[in-house]
């Protein structure tokens, strides 16, 4: 048995003596002269915190040892050298524009834990962003949970190269909405590291794209328009290579590169050529927006506030129809609004959702606020732009507007009062007290209601009986989702210790025990408090609510596209409730008219509130805990070398306790009885 042992006399000796074991463990590696490179798992660091807060990091390190022949058998480790690497810097090497609208890259360790993944959430918000207690051990199977048999995970842990396909359910918009797609996964190992890299490509996106040619002069002219911006988290040019370039934005770097003013800049020529083409092709829309703004100035009702366009190459055009200080949503399309701008993980939300709609139709939605109550006062509408081709029709861009909610609702109520009959009179209208009218989107969220407080709520909470009937009829379907990184509120008992009322005899014994404890602590400088347990204390219990990691299950809802109009009747306890739902053409919206005279209170509302799995489905929780995940040991191991001198280990004198100390411990034990 080879190892290291030493005597620790005082607390001051602990660190110095414990560090000695490093020389014993490192001796075989040093004799082998192996500079093994070690990469750590992901961790949160505040040293390089940016505007968004804490940064996800990994560290790469290697040993530094003496290479002198006369000391080779002793294996002298001099130290360790390493550097910290922000994970977002690794993502910059991935050409996001080639992955398509829903495509993404991810990496895991040899243990299956995530190094980077768009669904990894290492922070949670409660007052301010804080790191989760288990963020560094989130397994790939917890975010790609559709892979029930761990086919993808195990192949990557075993450092294989291959392809895997499966149907996935990806949540967007803070988990409120779901997109059902088929992903093709490509994976391989990263040489020299314990990591494996995976790339997910959604079928129908990213495989085909259009490439055009324009001159640099044409492209620069349109690229320098003040309303044009590029995705700063994409790597058009490598601005980190030289210190004088690090202050440049990607757009500024491209302009300098094209003008030949910075020959040292290294840029992606293919991507820049496509950006120039997008700038030229999309330039006419600026004139169209300008004409709209001029005509709008004659109208005092400025309901539409922002128009925007985004292309597959990360180029954005933004036009304000009102002053920046007059915008209802000041954060929209800003750097802090991660969901609605191009970044290293994903395309903007309005782009992704528009790409999944039928070509030519608009997606309307109300942004969800970060709080528990939705108080958003804007509506976003967007549509995709596809290249008309006989073979494939790739999505090349998306365009949309954001308008005031009040303006949008007023347009709806005006349209609902118009009738197609010859006499112009409606047999029934949303103004009638006998009906309730709603405008909901394809995920069941209310955009317009007679009760303004219901705006943004899920329709099932307002009309549980109707939503339940729509699910039964197939007009909507429920999709069960899982969140294995959730934070749940739990009540924990906290105790405050208080000394009980002691009689004189017990008080004397307690005082004597305290004195002897202090003497022992003084002699050995060691904490023996745990040896003295007093039963003469009273604990005051109180409940404290905390956030703890948990697994949750929650539903999402999506409409059936093929159903354009549905009517139904619901048999309640003492009445019959009728309703009609009709799809609004060229949109993701539905108008629902419900009989308000029958309340049907016996049917409970349908909510989207998550349920903790351990409380709702104990068997599923147990199965996940029992399942043993495949882990892979590091490739290299230096446990022993035949040239090392195994006798050079630690040593310690005979460990004999002083007689005085033994007497004190004996007396102490007698007093405690």
């Amino acid at each position: 048995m080879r190892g290291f042992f030493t005597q620790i006399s005082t607390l001051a000796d602990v660190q110095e003596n414990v560090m000695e074991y490093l020389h014993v463990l490192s001796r075989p590696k040093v004799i082998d002269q192996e500079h093994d490179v070690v990469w750590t798992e992901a961790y949160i660091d505040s040293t390089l915190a940016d505007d968004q807060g804490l940064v996800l990091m990994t560290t790469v390190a290697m040993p530094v040892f003496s290479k002198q022949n006369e000391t080779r058998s002793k294996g002298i480790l001099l130290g360790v050298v390493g550097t910290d690497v922000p994970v977002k810097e690794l993502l910059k090497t991935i050409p996001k524009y080639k992955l398509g609208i829903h495509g993404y890259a991810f990496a895991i360790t040899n243990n299956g834990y995530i190094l980077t993944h768009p669904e990894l959430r290492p922070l949670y918000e409660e007052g301010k962003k804080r790191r989760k207690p288990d963020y560094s051990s989130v397994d790939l199977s917890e975010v790609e949970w559709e892979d029930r048999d761990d086919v993808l995970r195990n192949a990557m842990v075993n450092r294989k190269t291959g392809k895997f396909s499966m149907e996935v359910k990806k949540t967007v918009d803070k988990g409120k909405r779901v997109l059902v797609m088929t992903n093709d996964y490509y994976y391989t190992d990263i040489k020299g590291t314990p990591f494996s890299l995976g790339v997910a490509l959604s079928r129908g996106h990213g495989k085909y794209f259009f490439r055009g040619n324009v001159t640099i002069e044409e492209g620069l002219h349109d690229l320098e328009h003040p309303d044009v911006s590029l995705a700063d988290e994409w790597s058009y040019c490598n601005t980190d290579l030289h210190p004088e370039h690090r202050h440049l934005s990607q757009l500024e770097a491209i302009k300098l590169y094209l003008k030949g003013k910075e020959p040292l800049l290294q840029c992606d020529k293919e991507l820049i050529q496509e950006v120039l083409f997008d700038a030229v092709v999309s330039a006419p829309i600026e004139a169209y927006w300008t004409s709209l703004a001029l005509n709008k100035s004659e109208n005092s009702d400025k309901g539409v506030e922002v128009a925007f366009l985004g292309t597959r190459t990360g180029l954005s055009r933004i036009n304000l129809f009102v002053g920046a200080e007059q915008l209802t949503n000041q954060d929209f399309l800003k750097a802090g609004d991660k969901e609605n701008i191009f970044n290293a993980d994903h395309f903007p939300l309005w782009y992704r959702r528009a790409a999944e709609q039928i070509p030519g139709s608009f997606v309307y939605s109300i942004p969800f606020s970060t709080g528990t109550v939705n108080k958003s006062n804007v509506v976003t509408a967007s549509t995709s732009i596809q290249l008309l081709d006989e073979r494939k029709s790739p999505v090349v861009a998306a365009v949309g507007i954001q308008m005031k909610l009040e303006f949008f609702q007023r347009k709806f109520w005006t349209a609902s009062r118009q009738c197609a009959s010859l006499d112009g009179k409606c047999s029934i209208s949303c103004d009638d007290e006998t009906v309730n009218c709603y405008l909901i989107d394809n995920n069941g969220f209310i955009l317009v209601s007679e009760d303004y407080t219901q705006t943004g709520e899920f329709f099932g909470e307002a009309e549980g009986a109707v939503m339940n009937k729509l699910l039964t009829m197939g007009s909507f379907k429920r999709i069960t989702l899982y969140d294995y990184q959730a934070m749940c509120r739990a009540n924990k008992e906290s105790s405050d210790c208080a000394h009980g009322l002691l009689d004189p005899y017990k008080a004397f014994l307690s005082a004597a025990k305290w004195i002897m404890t202090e003497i022992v602590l003084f002699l050995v400088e060691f904490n023996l408090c745990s040896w003295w347990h007093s039963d003469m204390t009273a604990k005051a219990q109180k409940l404290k609510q905390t956030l703890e990691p948990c697994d949750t299950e929650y539903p999402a809802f999506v409409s059936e596209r093929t159903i354009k109009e549905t009517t139904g009747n619901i048999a309640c306890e003492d009445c019959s409730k009728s309703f009609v739902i009709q799809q609004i053409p060229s949109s993701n919206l539905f108008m629902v008219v419900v009989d308000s005279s029958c309340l049907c209170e016996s049917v409970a509302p349908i909510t989207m509130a998550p349920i903790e799995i351990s409380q709702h489905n104990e068997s599923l929780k147990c199965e996940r805990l029992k399942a043993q995940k495949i882990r892979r040991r590091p490739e290299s191991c230096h446990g022993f070398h035949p040239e090392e001198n195994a006798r050079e280990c630690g040593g310690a004198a005979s460990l004999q306790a002083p007689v005085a100390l033994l007497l004190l411990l004996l007396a102490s034990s007698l007093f405690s009885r």
Side-chain angles (χ1 to χ4, degrees):
M1 180 68 71
R2 299 174 180 86
F4 182 85
F5 65 95
T6 185
Q7 179 180 357
I8 298 176
S9 301
T10 66
L11 287 174
D13 295 335
V14 173
Q15 182 175 357
E16 179 181 353
N17 286 278
V18 169
M19 294 299 291
E20 291 293 331
Y21 84 97
L22 291 176
H23 297 291
V24 177
L25 296 181
S26 63
R27 193 161 53 206
K29 179 190 289 287
V30 177
I31 296 175
D32 281 334
Q33 300 288 294
E34 290 289 343
H35 286 87
D36 292 333
V37 178
V38 177
W39 290 78
T40 69
E41 296 176 346
Y43 63 91
I44 293 294
D45 187 76
S46 58
T47 306
L48 298 176
D50 54 18
D51 295 337
Q52 281 72 49
L54 303 175
V55 176
L56 198 64
M57 306 275 286
T58 181
T59 296
V60 55
M62 62 187 300
V64 179
F65 43 73
S66 173
K67 303 186 71 173
Q68 298 180 5
N69 290 330
E70 56 269 21
T71 61
R72 187 169 182 267
S73 62
K74 294 183 179 180
I76 300 177
L77 179 70
L78 301 178
V80 175
V81 62
T83 184
D84 300 332
V85 182
V87 173
K88 67 179 182 180
E89 295 300 320
L90 301 178
L91 294 176
K92 287 183 178 180
T93 62
I94 300 170
K96 177 60 182 163
Y97 73 101
K98 290 185 178 180
L99 302 184
I101 300 169
H102 303 292
Y104 58 90
F106 58 96
I108 65 172
T109 68
N110 56 296
N111 289 318
Y113 297 137
I114 295 173
L115 174 70
T116 175
H117 193 286
E119 298 298 325
L120 177 63
R121 305 193 307 272
L123 305 176
Y124 71 96
E125 292 187 22
E126 190 178 61
K128 63 178 181 179
K129 287 189 175 181
R130 304 178 183 180
R131 57 172 63 91
K132 292 180 179 178
D134 58 350
Y135 68 90
S136 61
S137 59
V138 177
D139 199 90
L140 181 64
S141 61
E142 296 180 346
V143 294
E144 302 287 351
W145 51 266
E146 294 91 344
D147 182 20
R148 304 292 184 184
D149 298 325
D150 288 340
V151 177
L152 172 65
R153 180 197 177 278
N154 293 345
M156 295 184 67
V157 169
N158 290 323
R159 304 182 68 79
K160 294 182 178 179
T161 299
K163 176 187 175 183
F164 174 69
S165 301
M166 66 178 175
E167 185 182 87
V168 297
K169 305 172 184 66
K170 293 298 180 183
T171 59
V172 295
D173 209 358
K174 300 180 176 64
K176 300 290 187 180
R177 309 180 191 279
V178 63
L179 301 176
V180 181
M181 300 172 293
T182 298
N183 277 359
D184 293 325
Y185 295 88
Y186 301 84
Y187 51 86
T188 189
D189 64 312
I190 305 177
K191 304 298 182 183
T193 74
F195 306 138
S196 290
L197 174 69
V199 174
L201 298 179
S202 297
R203 290 184 183 176
H205 301 288
K207 189 174 182 179
Y208 299 95
F209 57 90
F210 183 78
R211 181 177 297 163
N213 291 318
V214 295
T215 64
I216 293 179
E217 291 74 17
E218 287 179 304
L220 269 176
H221 175 269
D222 292 320
L223 202 60
E224 291 181 329
H225 195 280
D227 290 340
V228 172
S229 62
L230 293 180
D232 259 346
E233 292 189 13
W234 290 20
S235 185
Y236 301 87
C237 295
N238 189 348
T239 57
D240 297 327
L241 199 58
H242 298 284
E244 62 269 22
H245 298 152
R246 291 174 183 170
H247 69 283
L248 297 174
S249 67
Q250 289 295 318
L251 183 56
E252 292 170 341
I254 290 176
K255 292 177 182 178
L256 292 175
Y257 171 75
L258 293 175
K259 294 177 180 178
K261 295 183 178 180
E262 292 289 343
L264 295 178
L265 270 173
Q266 295 184 6
C267 300
D268 187 332
K269 294 181 180 179
E270 179 182 333
L271 176 57
I272 290 179
Q273 182 62 39
E274 294 184 26
V275 166
L276 294 178
F277 178 78
D278 286 350
V280 173
V281 172
S282 62
I285 200 172
E286 293 286 352
Y288 174 69
W289 285 340
T290 301
S291 65
L292 288 179
L294 293 175
N295 293 334
K296 198 173 184 62
S297 62
E298 301 174 0
N299 187 355
S300 60
D301 189 359
K302 298 181 180 180
V304 178
E305 299 182 333
V306 185
F308 50 86
L309 175 141
T311 71
R312 185 185 55 85
T313 57
L315 180 142
S316 298
R317 289 184 178 273
I318 303 171
N319 187 85
L320 301 182
F321 292 116
V322 297
E325 69 284 351
Q326 297 177 313
L327 288 173
T328 304
N329 185 358
Q330 296 283 342
D331 297 330
F332 185 57
L333 302 176
K334 300 291 181 60
D337 184 13
K338 286 292 186 181
E339 279 284 321
N340 288 302
I341 62 172
F342 291 93
N343 60 36
D345 287 334
H346 57 244
F347 276 55
L349 176 62
W350 44 267
Y351 199 126
R352 285 176 285 162
R353 293 192 62 207
E356 294 306 307
Q357 282 293 115
I358 299 174
S361 62
F362 276 81
V363 177
Y364 295 84
S365 64
I366 296 179
F368 291 100
S369 58
T370 55
T372 56
V373 180
N374 193 328
K375 294 298 183 182
S376 181
N377 292 317
V378 293
V379 174
T380 301
S382 62
T383 185
S384 63
I385 301 174
Q386 293 186 329
L387 179 67
L388 299 179
D389 192 285
E390 294 180 357
R391 297 162 297 174
K392 295 291 181 180
S393 299
V395 176
V396 295
V399 63
I401 59 173
Q402 189 169 95
M403 67 194 93
K404 293 180 181 179
L405 176 61
E406 182 270 335
F407 170 80
F408 177 78
Q409 292 180 337
R410 188 168 67 252
K411 291 291 185 182
F412 168 77
W413 293 123
T414 301
S416 68
R417 295 186 181 97
Q418 296 176 355
C419 297
S421 57
L422 294 177
D423 56 3
K425 295 181 179 179
C426 303
S427 59
I428 190 171
S429 169
C430 289
D431 294 330
D432 297 342
E433 296 182 356
T434 57
V435 297
N436 288 332
C437 293
Y438 302 91
L439 188 66
I440 66 175
D441 63 18
N442 60 313
N443 296 118
F445 292 101
I446 300 174
L447 279 78
V448 181
S449 172
E450 296 173 17
D451 183 356
Y452 184 79
T453 60
Q454 294 178 334
T455 304
E457 288 185 3
F458 179 58
F459 181 68
E461 297 180 1
E463 297 283 355
V466 177
M467 190 66 200
N468 188 64
K469 187 68 173 180
L470 291 174
L471 291 171
T472 304
M473 299 169 63
S475 297
F476 276 80
K477 60 181 178 180
R478 182 198 305 262
I479 298 175
T480 302
L481 304 171
Y482 299 94
D483 185 0
Y484 296 115
Q485 302 178 73
M487 299 291 289
C488 298
R489 295 193 176 276
N491 293 322
K492 293 186 67 175
E493 290 185 351
S494 62
S495 59
D496 297 326
C497 294
H499 285 285
L501 298 176
L502 305 177
D503 56 49
Y505 175 72
K506 290 183 178 180
F508 174 77
L509 290 179
S510 297
K513 188 169 77 170
W514 176 81
I515 293 173
M516 302 198 80
T517 301
E518 292 297 312
I519 294 174
V520 172
L521 288 173
F522 177 77
L523 291 175
V524 301
E525 295 185 9
F526 198 78
N527 187 359
L528 300 177
C529 286
S530 59
W531 294 12
W532 320 87
H533 176 70
S534 174
D535 293 329
M536 295 174 289
T537 60
K539 291 185 178 181
Q541 301 289 339
K542 63 180 181 180
L543 294 178
K544 182 181 179 181
Q545 200 172 63
T546 60
L547 283 174
E548 295 182 350
C550 63
D551 299 338
T552 60
E553 172 186 314
Y554 63 99
F557 301 87
V558 64
S559 64
E560 177 56 54
R561 287 181 175 177
T562 58
I563 298 179
K564 305 299 182 182
E565 182 177 352
T566 301
T567 59
N569 289 282
I570 306 168
C572 301
E573 59 279 0
D574 55 356
C575 60
S576 179
K577 191 180 189 70
S578 59
F579 68 91
V580 59
I581 178 172
Q582 187 173 35
Q583 185 176 8
I584 307 297
S586 301
S587 76
N588 68 322
L589 302 178
F590 295 84
M591 182 175 180
V592 187
V593 181
V594 180
D595 178 11
S596 63
S597 60
C598 181
L599 300 179
C600 208
E601 296 178 341
S602 60
V603 180
I606 298 177
T607 68
M608 299 182 65
I611 303 173
E612 190 173 354
I613 291 178
S614 60
Q615 299 176 0
H616 173 64
N617 192 338
E618 192 66 38
S619 61
L620 179 60
K621 179 79 171 180
C622 290
E623 288 299 322
R624 290 193 67 246
L625 292 176
K626 287 190 299 183
Q628 295 296 322
K629 300 291 183 183
I630 293 178
R631 316 289 181 194
R632 185 180 178 89
R633 291 185 177 183
E635 299 293 335
S636 60
C637 181
H638 307 272
F640 171 72
H641 197 282
E643 295 182 16
E644 68 176 310
N645 187 354
R647 294 183 179 181
E648 292 186 1
C649 294
S654 57
L655 300 177
Q656 295 180 353
V659 177
L661 177 60
L662 293 175
L663 291 176
L664 284 173
L665 294 176
L666 178 61
S668 166
S669 63
L670 292 175
F671 274 111
S672 62
R673 292 180 179 177

